Amino acid sequence: MKLFVTGANGQVGRLVVQEAVAKGHQVTALARPSAKVQFPASVALATRVIGKEGALEKMAGCDAVISCLGMKRKNPGNPWSKIVGPDDFTSTSAELIIDAMRQYGVRRVMAISSAGVGDSAAHMNLTMKLLVATSKVGVAFRDLARIEEAYGRSGLDWMCVRPTRLTDGPKTGKVVVAKAFGGSASISRADLAAWMVDQVTSNLPFMNRTPQISAT
């Protein structure tokens, strides 16, 4: 399958590219011009900033899109750290991706949201709810809710996966779709990347949904 990966220079994006190539798919990776990531030789690279003219033109001819775009904080470890870029970066990018998909006739898209977004907010513990209410995490979650809404009304075959807390652990292949999650629930970025590639390249219908995933 021919895949177009946005945010390919990010922590999850680069793993998605590696996983897709390892499974025999053709990949076009959209990465910032300043990104210092070494992609496999078979990857077609588009070095553009999303939103700039021509950034998504290499989507033409692809079968599906995997969006690994997300909001960044100046200090990722500090929930109150200043957000780098606009507060609506992810949702604005989603609208651009949707427009490009319609233009180039691409039907299937997978994007990353988060456990705790939308109707999954009810499953957060008190500490997490307080964090969302008082820190920049809440800003990111509100923007992620908007991407889910954007894809939901797009008319495309879409999925916005909601991973629990992300870690840098190894790929285990032990991933479950869960209705609820505890405070200790987590999933490695490697497992998330592998799960996303498997889902988007499957022959099964997407069913336009927001599955919440965690490691078993």
Side-chain angles (χ1 to χ4, degrees), residues 11-12 15-16 165-170 187-194:
Q11 289 179 289
V12 176
L15 295 174
V16 165
R165 181 174 58 86
L166 292 172
T167 73
D168 291 323
I187 183 171
S188 71
R189 291 177 176 85
D191 271 331
L192 171 61

Side-chain angles (χ1 to χ4, degrees), residues 20 113-114 116 140 176 215:
S113 183
S114 176
V176 295

Side-chain angles (χ1 to χ4, degrees), residues 50-136:
I50 194 165
K52 297 294 184 181
E53 185 176 355
L56 300 175
E57 62 184 12
K58 288 190 178 181
M59 188 187 293
C62 290
D63 301 303
V65 174
I66 301 179
S67 177
C68 301
L69 296 170
M71 199 171 287
K72 307 295 183 185
R73 295 191 300 271
K74 190 172 182 180
N75 179 357
N78 180 358
W80 287 270
S81 180
K82 181 180 178 181
I83 291 173
V84 179
D87 290 354
D88 63 349
F89 167 75
T90 315
S91 56
T92 298
S93 298
E95 296 287 2
L96 294 172
I97 290 168
I98 290 167
D99 288 345
M101 290 180 68
R102 289 170 176 160
Q103 179 181 351
Y104 298 121
V106 184
R107 290 290 307 164
R108 177 169 283 202
V109 58
M110 164 81 76
I112 303 175
S113 183
S114 176
V117 170
D119 57 8
S120 67
H123 301 300
M124 291 190 295
N125 59 33
L126 185 59
T127 300
M128 189 62 190
K129 288 179 179 179
L130 182 62
L131 190 65
V132 169
T134 61
S135 75
K136 299 299 184 183

